[in-house]
Amino acid sequence: MMKKKIISASKASLVLLLCQMLSALDVPLDSKLLEELSQPPTITQQSPKDYIVDPRENIVIQCEAKGKPPPSFSWTRNGTHFDIDKDAQVTMKPNSGTLVINIMNGGKAEAYEGVYQCTARNERGAAISNNIVIRPSRSPLWTKEKLEPNQVREGDSLVLHCRPPVGLPPPIIFWMDNAFQRLPQSERVSQGLNGDLYFSNVQPEDTREDYICYARFNHTQTIQQKQPISVKVFSMDSLNDTIAANLSDTDIYGAKPVTERQPVLLTPTGSTSTKVELRGNVLLLECIAAGLPTPVIRWIKEGGELPANRTFFENFKKTLKIVDVSEADSGNYKCIARNTLGSAHHVISVTVKAAPYWITAPRNLVLSPGEDGTLICRANGNPKPDISWLANGVPIAIAPEDPSRKVDGDTIIFSQVQERSSAVYQCNASNEYGYLLANAFVNVLAEPPRILTAANKLYQVIADSPALLDCAYFGSPKPEIEWFKGVKGSILRGNEYVFHDNGTLEIPVAQKDSSGTYTCVARNELGKIQNEVQLEVKDPTMIIKQPEYKVIQRYGQVSFECIIKHDSTLLPTVIWLKDNGELPGDERFLVGKDNLTIMNVTDKDDGTYTCIVNTTLDSVSASAVLTVVARPNPPFDLELTGQLERSVELSWVPGDENNSPITNFVIEYEDGLHEPGVWHHQTEVPGTQTTVQLKLSPYVNYSFRVIAVNEIGRSQPSEPSEQYLTKSANPDENPPNVQGIGSEPDNLVITWESLTGFQSNGPGLQYKVSWRQKDVDDEWTSVIVANVSKYIVSGTPTFVPYEIKVQALNDLGYAPEPSEVIGHSGEDLPMVAPGNVQVHVINSTLAKVHWDTVPLKTVRGHLQGYKVYYWKVQSLSRRSKRHVEKKILTFRGNKTFGMLPGLEPYSSYKLNVRVVNGKGEGPASPDKVFKTPEGVPSSPSFLKITNPTLDSLTLEWGSPTHPNGVLTSYILKFQPINNTHELGPLVEIRIPANESSLILKNLNYSTRYKFYFNAQTSVGSGSQITEEAVTIMDEAMASRQVDIATQGWFIGLMCAVALLILILLIVCFIRRNKGGKYPVKEKEDAHADPEIQPMKEDDGTFGEYRLFSFVSSAPF
């Protein structure tokens, strides 16, 4: 949208310039209009007033002008007509006033020096150029002169004069040696504005024979060289030696040593001077002083401040430079030269004069007959410039009279102009420092209205933004402009519209209903014309999902979204920028339809990413910042200070945190004496800290390194610090984890963790091992062993407590007294078995066993618990023998009972109990026999129904796999099932336990029956099995059924039915897995045998049993 506004504004400005009669600078540049309208000449291009030319090249003096009809050109030279036709070396370019003076083919530039002025003329007037002063550039040779060597005493001041030849323009001066190397300059030695080389004080190193001044003439691209200047500096020592060799011993005179001197100004001389500079130029003031030590220059403005932002110091502050000076910069400027012995100063009185400059330059007038107008020419300067007028290049006092014109100082007033009043007027403002010349024409035209804007031009704008509808027009007198909406609409008025003088109609806030046809009407006394334009108001482009701030780790992937909404008639383009520049030309940057993805992000990708959406009418953008984070760079510049025996201070410089603040620093150390190459954690400090006081141990060759940590991770370690070896000392600590455990019944094995070399505190690490039997009045037995971690004491009683201690020592002494620990000599197997073993049978699957504990002395070791071994001898319901599998339950601690779960009902078991210590198991107690009572049986092993007839079925079954007691009978229950799967009355039959088959008679023919069958002991009924069977139809039907069954069509039909049933079963299976039930199952569940329900409760008990079985190995 901004782009559209800018275009509209520029068009409005152009039309405003072209069409306003009283203030326009030019006739409209419409091509068709220019073919018809007359216009006085206007100078469009000319050479500079002071034109220095290269004498070796052709001289081109420019003069270009426009007008209707096209102007003709003429020249004056030094105030008289310059007839170019009489000079073969001079030509004028076609359709131009530009002169070309041919120097390269025999002409001499000096012959054409002078003041030139161009005149462009047509029937409506004449315009003139500035006075153009032509001067050829000059680069004269240096005058020959005899240069005497400069012999100077050390410490004195010196000035080497350059005095370059006077050139045009003045040359650029610089000093070099014979090797074409610039001579070094400083506060002591520097070049002045006049090109001289100033020495505030000379030193022996200033002695040389090739001080050469060069002058460079830029116009001719030549460099002139002055003869080399020789400088010889005599030091005081060498001068005294020379004097001593030439004077008698009685002569009291001699060269004085180098003495310091207070400052004296070398330039400018005296205490005051003056300087005149022109407004807008650069003011350069210079002060160079002699003295020893070398003086320092300071500048002040008396009674004011040096202008800020325009003041600069050059040449080691010896030159004060003020750019773009104005009258306000006039005043007294003081330079002060100061050293340790005193100061000198100089005051420069600056006066700023001004060549003429415009306040109001005259502007072209386009008037219609009978109109009034003014030309105003106002200029200022110091001194104030004189204003003079010319008409068509002739002083107005002698120009042809015009009754409509009246001159009033800097203003010409025109009244009731006519077409003959057209002319070009020149205003000249001049003073002693220069002049200004401006052309302004008065063009009197009588023209009917013309509309220059194209017919039916289409304007498109965005809703809620300004709409500028152009009506560029021309006419003389100036036409009146009116706007209408629609071809026959009413005239537009009101605050919702802005009518510009250039004819433009502005709708400040265009809405969708502002769309339509608008008509512009231009009329003056000579006629009327109208033009139609079209306006379309579009929906604005919006970013509905803007990119968001992202923080990404280095080498990660990040995406910025930019989802847009736009007018359907506009075609948007999306551009992504990084930091207001183009995206890097990198395949890692992937631009999608509505996003930007950056792969494998690097640190260089950090920055601001902007999504810019452009249409032909508007532009919107949204930005987001990408912060690339990474682990910190390693710290550097590690330094150890304040080294003491047990401490040192470590400092470091943090590395780059990589956009994630450092949270802490980890300090690690290496012991180069004991574990070279192995780094250990020392301490951590907050991320704001860069020094730490470290505690040290004796006899360690320390190196330290630092690791920076931020939220992303740890940096690489820093380079190691310098090494620091601490002094040896007694051990600070004794070995940890001292234990006494016998490996055999007659020994005591004392073990400990050896101290590290770091912990040894010195060379010669050993251990003093001491022991004595506890609760016995014995002395300590001690032995010193090398740096090992075990000592074996032999010949000890079995499992006796001992007091033990281990003390570290080295070549410098012992560690502090160690603490005592209790250990035991070796264990042996327990001596006796538990007694009084009793078994209490709780139910058919669970028993509780009791025993008495054994005396602790007989355990001969650490009591760990008791083990119960038990096994099934035989089942009481069967005589067959089987493999005996012993089971073991361990009961930790000093227990006296335990539970035996998972027993089989109606079985005979044996068990024994043993005590356990660290060495192993003791002898077993005598076997104890116990029996479990009967339980309910398992289900019969099978149930088969065979030999179906019209009214009978034969049942066969197998006995339970686990009778769990003596079977007393079988229970058979059955009931019919009709075609709707409803269950009939339940019939129950008790069958003796020794039977294995049964024929059921008097059943209904062609009927389905469901059977429930289980076994019983004296305890109760076991789990049941079920089956279904069908009695057959009558014999005839059966016969026909057999005949039909042999038919092919019936077999095919049955196959089709079977396929349909298979499909139905698959569907039902899927539904059942999803929680559904098919109807038959629901019917069966609804009519299940009510005696089955307790079995479901038994299943819950069995679940507890299984849980009990799972934890059965735990002690009770």
Side-chain angles (χ1 to χ4, degrees):
M1 185 58 208
M2 288 303 297
K3 182 177 180 182
K4 178 63 179 178
K5 289 174 66 177
I6 292 170
I7 292 174
S8 298
S10 65
K11 288 181 179 178
S13 300
L14 177 61
V15 175
L16 184 65
L17 289 173
L18 299 182
C19 297
Q20 294 201 28
M21 298 303 163
L22 296 180
S23 60
L25 290 176
D26 211 343
V27 174
L29 295 180
D30 181 85
S31 58
K32 292 183 179 179
L33 192 61
L34 286 176
E35 293 177 0
E36 303 172 8
L37 296 180
S38 298
Q39 179 179 318
T42 300
I43 300 290
T44 59
Q45 192 173 3
Q46 57 184 314
S47 294
K49 294 178 181 179
D50 190 7
Y51 188 15
I52 300 175
V53 299
D54 190 333
R56 301 167 299 180
E57 297 179 354
N58 292 341
I59 301 173
V60 178
I61 310 175
Q62 289 185 328
C63 180
E64 302 291 343
K66 64 180 181 179
K68 182 65 177 180
S72 60
F73 297 90
S74 62
W75 286 86
T76 63
R77 177 183 174 189
N78 298 328
T80 61
H81 176 67
F82 182 36
D83 191 350
I84 62 175
D85 294 333
K86 294 182 179 181
D87 192 333
Q89 301 295 331
V90 181
T91 59
M92 184 183 296
K93 290 185 177 180
N95 302 316
S96 167
T98 298
L99 295 181
V100 178
I101 302 174
N102 196 333
I103 302 299
M104 300 178 70
N105 287 333
K108 292 187 178 181
E110 292 80 4
Y112 293 93
E113 285 191 62
V115 179
Y116 293 77
Q117 189 172 43
C118 171
T119 300
R121 186 185 309 274
N122 69 8
E123 62 189 29
R124 292 245 161 190
I128 61 175
S129 70
N130 292 321
N131 286 327
I132 304 170
V133 179
I134 302 295
R135 294 186 295 170
S137 173
R138 295 182 178 89
S139 53
L141 297 176
W142 233 294
T143 58
K144 292 185 177 181
E145 55 182 325
K146 185 176 181 181
L147 300 177
E148 298 293 334
N150 290 276
Q151 298 186 1
V152 193
R153 185 175 61 178
E154 180 182 358
D156 287 352
S157 62
L158 175 64
V159 180
L160 299 183
H161 298 288
C162 180
R163 299 190 185 96
V166 177
L168 185 67
I172 297 172
I173 305 301
F174 51 94
W175 290 80
M176 294 197 298
D177 59 16
N178 276 331
F180 295 99
Q181 299 297 314
R182 284 187 179 267
L183 296 175
Q185 299 190 23
S186 63
E187 288 185 341
R188 186 178 65 85
V189 182
S190 61
Q191 178 181 314
L193 294 176
N194 63 355
D196 292 345
L197 191 63
Y198 292 85
F199 294 78
S200 295
N201 53 80
V202 295
Q203 302 295 328
E205 60 265 24
D206 296 329
T207 297
R208 62 190 307 156
E209 296 180 352
D210 56 350
Y211 285 94
I212 305 174
C213 180
Y214 288 86
R216 184 174 68 215
F217 298 89
N218 283 344
H219 261 65
T220 57
Q221 297 295 310
T222 58
I223 296 178
Q224 304 289 351
Q225 173 184 336
K226 186 182 179 75
Q227 290 180 323
I229 301 174
S230 173
V231 174
K232 173 69 173 178
V233 179
F234 293 98
S235 67
M236 290 301 98
D237 292 340
S238 62
L239 194 57
N240 284 334
D241 292 342
T242 303
I243 293 173
N246 292 281
L247 295 178
S248 64
D249 293 340
T250 59
D251 197 332
I252 61 172
Y253 298 101
K256 297 180 181 179
V258 176
T259 58
E260 295 183 340
R261 294 176 289 106
Q262 66 181 23
V264 175
L265 287 173
L266 297 175
T267 184
T269 59
S271 60
T272 62
S273 60
T274 61
K275 172 79 171 180
V276 176
E277 191 56 78
L278 292 182
R279 179 180 184 270
N281 287 354
V282 176
L283 174 64
L284 294 173
L285 303 178
E286 180 180 58
C287 276
I288 301 177
L292 185 67
T294 301
V296 176
I297 305 297
R298 185 168 67 91
W299 291 89
I300 60 173
K301 182 179 182 183
E302 294 182 343
E305 298 290 334
L306 295 174
N309 302 324
R310 293 189 295 115
T311 300
F312 304 92
F313 297 101
E314 298 178 346
N315 198 19
F316 309 97
K317 292 191 175 180
K318 298 174 187 179
T319 302
L320 171 65
K321 177 180 178 181
I322 301 176
V323 299
D324 193 22
V325 295
S326 65
E327 289 85 342
D329 294 321
S330 297
N332 293 330
Y333 292 82
K334 179 187 285 188
C335 69
I336 304 169
R338 186 184 304 276
N339 66 9
T340 55
L341 299 183
S343 64
H345 68 270
H346 184 93
V347 176
I348 305 173
S349 179
V350 174
T351 302
V352 177
K353 298 292 185 177
Y357 57 91
W358 290 120
I359 296 176
T360 304
R363 301 176 66 182
N364 295 335
L365 282 179
V366 178
L367 301 176
S368 59
E371 285 189 328
D372 302 335
T374 58
L375 288 178
I376 300 174
C377 177
R378 289 177 184 162
N380 202 356
N382 187 7
K384 187 172 180 62
D386 296 325
I387 303 294
S388 61
W389 287 95
L390 296 88
N392 295 325
V394 177
I396 202 163
I398 61 175
E401 290 189 4
D402 183 352
S404 66
R405 177 182 69 208
K406 178 182 178 182
V407 178
D408 185 9
D410 59 7
T411 304
I412 301 180
I413 302 171
F414 296 93
S415 303
Q416 297 291 316
V417 297
Q418 301 301 318
E419 284 197 59
R420 65 178 178 275
S421 300
S422 296
V424 182
Y425 291 87
Q426 290 81 34
C427 173
N428 185 299
S430 61
N431 65 12
E432 61 186 277
Y433 298 108
Y435 73 94
L436 293 173
L437 178 68
N439 291 276
F441 64 67
V442 176
N443 196 14
V444 182
L445 298 172
E447 295 289 335
R450 303 165 189 250
I451 294 180
L452 307 180
T453 300
N456 292 313
K457 185 174 182 179
L458 175 63
Y459 293 88
Q460 296 178 325
V461 299
I462 296 297
D464 297 324
S465 63
L468 295 171
L469 308 183
D470 293 335
C471 184
Y473 66 91
F474 180 74
S476 182
K478 179 182 178 182
E480 294 181 357
I481 301 298
E482 293 178 327
W483 280 94
F484 300 84
K485 185 173 183 185
V487 178
K488 298 181 179 179
S490 58
I491 188 170
L492 298 181
R493 292 187 177 89
N495 296 331
E496 58 183 311
Y497 301 103
V498 177
F499 302 93
H500 293 277
D501 290 340
N502 64 354
T504 297
L505 169 66
E506 179 180 353
I507 306 174
V509 184
Q511 302 295 331
K512 293 287 282 186
D513 58 4
S514 302
S515 299
T517 301
Y518 289 80
T519 302
C520 164
V521 178
R523 59 166 57 90
N524 68 8
E525 60 189 40
L526 300 178
K528 168 187 170 183
I529 193 170
Q530 70 180 36
N531 187 41
E532 294 179 1
V533 296
Q534 307 296 323
L535 175 63
E536 293 181 358
V537 181
K538 308 289 187 179
D539 291 325
T541 305
M542 296 183 293
I543 300 177
I544 59 177
K545 178 65 175 176
Q546 298 187 354
E548 298 177 347
Y549 173 71
K550 299 286 180 123
V551 176
I552 189 69
Q553 290 191 31
R554 187 187 294 161
Y555 309 124
Q557 176 179 322
V558 67
S559 290
F560 291 107
E561 286 188 294
C562 185
I563 301 176
I564 63 174
K565 179 182 178 183
H566 61 91
D567 191 285
S568 60
T569 62
L570 299 177
L571 182 62
T573 58
V574 179
I575 301 173
W576 286 91
L577 301 179
K578 178 182 183 295
D579 296 330
N580 295 323
E582 293 184 359
L583 289 178
D586 193 327
E587 60 184 11
R588 298 181 301 108
F589 289 80
L590 306 177
V591 178
K593 177 183 177 183
D594 50 17
N595 61 39
L596 168 66
T597 301
I598 308 174
M599 313 287 290
N600 196 21
V601 172
T602 67
D603 292 337
K604 293 182 180 179
D605 301 331
D606 198 279
T608 300
Y609 289 84
T610 303
C611 166
I612 301 177
V613 185
N614 292 318
T615 68
T616 55
L617 300 182
D618 63 349
S619 176
V620 292
S621 64
S623 299
V625 174
L626 173 62
T627 300
V628 181
V629 296
R631 296 183 299 169
N633 290 352
F636 57 94
D637 284 353
L638 274 65
E639 184 179 7
L640 297 178
T641 56
Q643 289 92 337
L644 301 174
E645 289 187 3
R646 292 293 183 108
S647 69
V648 71
E649 184 176 274
L650 173 65
S651 62
W652 61 91
V653 176
D656 193 333
E657 62 185 18
N658 290 326
N659 293 326
S660 180
I662 296 174
T663 57
N664 58 292
F665 292 100
V666 177
I667 292 88
E668 296 180 339
Y669 72 89
E670 175 196 34
D671 181 0
L673 189 61
H674 304 101
E675 291 183 289
V678 179
W679 290 89
H680 302 274
H681 181 274
Q682 172 87 5
T683 187
E684 294 187 19
V685 297
T688 56
Q689 188 173 328
T690 57
T691 61
V692 63
Q693 194 77 19
L694 300 175
K695 294 181 179 180
L696 306 180
S697 294
Y699 194 52
V700 177
N701 193 12
Y702 281 101
S703 290
F704 299 97
R705 69 183 187 185
V706 183
I707 299 171
V709 182
N710 62 12
E711 290 186 356
I712 310 306
R714 295 161 63 101
S715 73
Q716 292 294 320
S718 67
E719 291 296 322
S721 70
E722 60 182 301
Q723 291 186 331
Y724 177 48
L725 177 62
T726 54
K727 294 181 179 180
S728 302
N730 293 12
D732 292 326
E733 55 187 309
N734 289 301
N737 293 334
V738 177
Q739 293 182 334
I741 302 174
S743 61
E744 298 295 337
D746 60 350
N747 74 6
L748 171 66
V749 180
I750 302 173
T751 60
W752 60 91
E753 285 187 21
S754 297
L755 296 179
T756 64
F758 179 85
Q759 296 168 312
S760 66
N761 284 9
L765 178 64
Q766 294 178 301
Y767 301 99
K768 179 182 179 183
V769 184
S770 304
W771 69 92
R772 68 179 177 185
Q773 191 171 334
K774 191 175 182 296
D775 300 328
V776 176
D777 192 16
D778 282 351
E779 294 294 328
W780 286 93
T781 302
S782 299
V783 63
I784 294 178
V785 299
N787 187 10
V788 295
S789 60
K790 181 173 69 173
Y791 182 77
I792 301 176
V793 181
S794 302
T796 63
T798 301
F799 197 66
V800 173
Y802 278 86
E803 295 175 329
I804 304 168
K805 58 184 180 180
V806 180
Q807 185 178 25
L809 68 152
N810 63 18
D811 291 350
L812 279 77
Y814 286 87
E817 185 65 24
S819 57
E820 300 171 6
V821 298
I822 303 299
H824 288 81
S825 56
E827 299 180 65
D828 205 347
L829 295 176
M831 300 173 61
V832 299
N836 194 24
V837 176
Q838 301 292 330
V839 179
H840 172 61
V841 178
I842 297 175
N843 56 36
S844 60
T845 60
L846 179 65
K848 184 177 184 180
V849 58
H850 291 264
W851 62 86
D852 292 339
T853 59
V854 300
L856 290 178
K857 288 186 178 180
T858 66
V859 176
R860 298 200 294 180
H862 296 286
L863 175 64
Q864 294 186 354
Y866 292 87
K867 285 187 178 180
V868 177
Y869 287 75
Y870 65 100
W871 61 96
K872 179 180 174 181
V873 178
Q874 66 177 17
S875 174
L876 298 180
S877 61
R878 298 179 181 176
R879 295 302 178 187
S880 59
K881 294 185 178 180
R882 65 174 188 168
H883 173 70
V884 175
E885 180 182 354
K886 289 188 177 182
K887 297 181 180 179
I888 304 172
L889 286 177
T890 301
F891 301 93
R892 300 290 178 184
N894 198 13
K895 294 280 188 177
T896 59
F897 68 91
M899 304 298 287
L900 305 181
L903 303 177
E904 294 185 12
Y906 205 51
S907 299
S908 175
Y909 281 87
K910 285 185 180 182
L911 65 77
N912 58 52
V913 184
R914 309 176 192 194
V915 67
V916 182
N917 67 8
K919 190 73 173 177
E921 301 175 4
S925 65
D927 291 348
K928 189 73 175 180
V929 178
F930 66 96
K931 298 178 180 179
T932 56
E934 288 186 88
V936 297
S938 63
S939 62
S941 58
F942 67 89
L943 174 63
K944 292 195 302 184
I945 303 173
T946 60
N947 301 325
T949 66
L950 291 174
D951 60 354
S952 67
L953 293 169
T954 300
L955 280 69
E956 297 177 355
W957 60 86
S959 59
T961 306
H962 301 285
N964 293 338
V966 178
L967 295 181
T968 59
S969 61
Y970 292 100
I971 302 298
L972 173 65
K973 299 176 184 178
F974 63 94
Q975 56 191 151
I977 305 173
N978 64 16
N979 292 334
T980 60
H981 303 289
E982 294 178 350
L983 300 176
L986 187 68
V987 178
E988 180 177 327
I989 301 175
R990 186 177 296 275
I991 304 170
N994 58 352
E995 296 291 338
S996 61
S997 64
L998 174 68
I999 299 175
L1000 282 178
K1001 298 182 179 181
N1002 299 321
L1003 301 176
N1004 296 329
Y1005 72 91
S1006 188
T1007 301
R1008 177 177 292 278
Y1009 288 90
K1010 186 168 186 176
F1011 298 91
Y1012 314 91
F1013 192 70
N1014 63 337
Q1016 282 189 332
T1017 64
S1018 59
V1019 176
S1021 298
S1023 57
Q1024 65 182 6
I1025 60 174
T1026 63
E1027 278 291 347
E1028 292 185 8
V1030 182
T1031 57
I1032 65 174
M1033 295 179 287
D1034 59 55
E1035 296 296 336
M1037 291 291 290
S1039 173
R1040 281 198 297 271
Q1041 182 179 9
V1042 172
D1043 292 340
I1044 292 173
T1046 60
Q1047 301 299 311
W1049 64 268
F1050 182 76
I1051 294 173
L1053 177 63
M1054 289 301 101
C1055 290
V1057 171
L1059 179 60
L1060 290 174
I1061 293 173
L1062 177 60
I1063 295 172
L1064 179 62
L1065 288 175
I1066 292 173
V1067 173
C1068 293
F1069 178 75
I1070 295 173
R1071 291 187 58 198
R1072 182 180 181 89
N1073 286 344
K1074 295 182 178 179
K1077 294 183 178 180
Y1078 56 94
V1080 174
K1081 178 62 179 174
E1082 292 174 354
K1083 296 290 185 178
E1084 292 176 354
D1085 290 346
H1087 298 282
D1089 190 341
E1091 295 186 12
I1092 296 176
Q1093 300 304 319
M1095 293 303 295
K1096 291 184 178 180
E1097 294 177 4
D1098 289 345
D1099 290 345
T1101 304
F1102 180 70
E1104 293 177 4
Y1105 170 77
R1106 286 190 296 171
L1107 179 63
F1108 182 81
S1109 175
F1110 177 75
V1111 300
S1112 63
S1113 62
F1116 286 86

